[in-house]
Amino acid sequence: MATLPITNCVRELRQEHDDMTQADLGDAVGVTRQTIAAIEQRRYSPSLEVAFRIARVFNQPLEVVFQFESDEGAAGSHN
């Protein structure tokens, strides 16, 4: 299965926060541990609400936690 164009640093942020488990983060944002694992592995893109909740847990701006890798040339094509 191909990875999605949204990258993230959720795993690194969990490690920086006292080795927070996937289950702990899932509980904090209202999703399962499996969902957090899928987000970290880029197999699942979280809803905007869940993405904001994850960023809030780590007290980080959304764009620090999640980044969008667009195809080359796609950005700025609306001139």
Side-chain angles (χ1 to χ4, degrees):
M1 175 181 270
T3 57
L4 299 172
I6 295 179
T7 62
N8 68 77
C9 59
V10 174
R11 177 174 287 137
E12 293 83 358
L13 289 167
R14 283 192 307 100
Q15 292 170 345
E16 292 171 9
H17 284 76
D18 298 323
D19 283 325
M20 175 187 284
T21 67
Q22 291 174 335
D24 289 340
L25 180 56
D27 288 345
V29 300
V31 300
T32 65
R33 180 203 63 78
Q34 292 87 347
T35 298
I36 298 298
I39 291 168
E40 289 181 355
Q41 295 164 11
R42 294 176 61 189
R43 293 185 290 111
Y44 175 77
S45 292
S47 69
L48 190 55
E49 180 181 350
V50 170
F52 272 108
R53 287 181 180 184
I54 291 170
R56 186 172 291 161
V57 165
F58 298 120
N59 197 30
Q60 296 290 330
L62 184 66
E63 59 273 7
V64 168
V65 181
F66 295 95
Q67 303 80 39
F68 179 72
E69 290 184 347
S70 62
D71 294 333
E72 281 191 5
S77 62
H78 299 282
N79 291 331

